[in-house]
Amino acid sequence: MRQCYIAGNWKMHKTRPQSADLAKELVAALKDGSNKYLVAPSFTNLEAVAAVIKGTNIRLGAQNCACEEEGAHTGEVSVLQLKDLGVQTIILGHSERRHSYKEDDALINKKLKLALKHGFEVILCIGELLEEREAGKANAVCETQTVQGLAGVSEAELANVVIAYEPVWAIGTGKTATPEDAEAVHAFVRGLIAKQYSQAAADKIVIQYGGSVKPDNAAELMAKENIDGALVGGASLKTETFAPIAKWNAK
Ligand code: PGA
């Protein structure tokens, strides 16, 4: 059985004290939770949140990293700096990075390999645009993003990779993929992993769903066989909406 993994992507929200307060509330709310948990605050708030969640069942995530270890990269943040802050997981290829900041599969793959080399867990986000879904290309887009994102990654390294399927049209819009539509893509992506790696790797890999996950739709999504948790944006910003999603436990 795959572990259910619920992650909160706080995006560019909250100041340091606000982040620390939310982290404190979540530590209390999730202390008896049986799933795997992560919060990903802004870079500037990582240290404050790290101090609060240290030694708890909540992992510390970053929302991005640079594709080089160090050097002349104004405005970028290195894996070495993230490691120093206690970050354990890095979210890569989020659709906001792909579409607003023009990150392509080659760049995401470079970041992913660097993060894995430094021992991080990576959440690789994939997902199609609305026009791609309407053109019947959802699977093809997810295939390209998965295969190119994981190019050169060994089966041993894949053990530190989580995939998050986030249809772009469902992010922050209030529109959620139906559990059946999401499950179909998740099953397709798991099949890709079986083809590229092995059935054992496919059986093991955690595939989260993301895109307007809320307390009232999380259960039916995560009840699907191939949906192993959630990457939550808006609803992760408040304990009263994140905790009910995070504490879901039916598998
Ligand atoms: P949302 O964001 O839950 O606000 O749709 C999800 C995400 O972008 O990871």
Side-chain angles (χ1 to χ4, degrees):
M1 192 166 47
R2 290 178 293 271
Q3 191 177 21
C4 181
Y5 188 1
I6 320 264
N9 172 12
W10 295 355
K11 306 194 181 184
M12 199 175 69
H13 293 288
K14 300 194 182 287
T15 59
R16 270 188 317 161
Q18 288 168 342
S19 298
D21 285 349
L22 176 57
K24 270 179 218 153
E25 288 179 16
L26 291 176
V27 166
L30 303 182
K31 69 176 189 309
D32 302 322
S34 53
N35 297 323
K36 181 173 172 182
Y37 302 122
L38 171 124
V39 292
S42 296
F43 290 133
T44 53
N45 302 336
L46 284 167
E47 193 167 12
V49 172
V52 176
I53 64 177
K54 196 168 189 249
T56 73
N57 60 348
I58 305 179
R59 298 171 67 86
L60 185 64
Q63 299 171 18
N64 192 16
C65 70
C67 67
E68 302 286 349
E69 277 169 17
E70 62 182 343
H73 295 282
T74 303
E76 293 289 298
V77 177
S78 147
V79 285
L80 303 176
Q81 295 164 332
L82 296 177
K83 197 181 268 184
D84 178 50
L85 290 173
V87 169
Q88 297 155 291
T89 301
I90 306 178
I91 299 171
L92 292 173
H94 190 278
S95 67
E96 286 146 21
R97 301 300 317 171
R98 291 179 187 268
H99 298 291
S100 305
Y101 297 95
K102 307 293 173 231
E103 293 196 10
D104 62 13
D105 289 313
L107 178 67
I108 293 161
N109 175 248
K110 197 171 172 195
K111 293 180 177 193
L112 182 138
K113 285 191 292 195
L114 183 66
L116 292 177
K117 179 180 147 203
H118 284 277
F120 290 95
E121 174 183 79
V122 170
I123 298 179
L124 171 65
C125 303
I126 60 167
E128 80 285 358
L129 297 164
L130 182 58
E131 57 264 36
E132 293 167 335
R133 170 155 287 263
E134 286 172 343
K137 293 184 183 155
N139 284 358
V141 169
C142 290
E143 176 163 3
T144 303
Q145 293 177 351
T146 303
V147 171
Q148 295 191 9
L150 295 177
V153 172
S154 70
E155 184 158 341
E157 290 173 314
L158 192 72
N160 281 326
V161 176
V162 170
I163 294 176
Y165 169 57
E166 301 203 304
V168 182
W169 47 272
I171 295 179
T173 57
K175 287 184 199 151
T176 327
T178 64
E180 292 68 32
D181 285 345
E183 168 66 9
V185 177
H186 281 237
F188 172 76
V189 172
R190 201 176 299 286
L192 282 177
I193 298 296
K195 211 162 63 182
Q196 298 274 322
Y197 293 92
S198 67
Q199 191 57 47
D203 289 341
K204 230 167 32 195
I205 195 162
V206 166
I207 309 179
Q208 298 171 323
Y209 172 79
S212 297
V213 175
K214 305 277 183 269
D216 60 359
N217 61 20
E220 51 173 358
L221 285 159
M222 295 193 289
K224 291 289 181 194
E225 187 188 336
N226 288 290
I227 301 182
D228 311 314
L231 179 54
V232 186
S236 72
L237 296 171
K238 287 191 181 140
T239 304
E240 57 266 35
T241 44
F242 190 62
I245 299 170
K247 294 187 95 168
W248 181 82
N249 196 1
K251 277 183 185 165

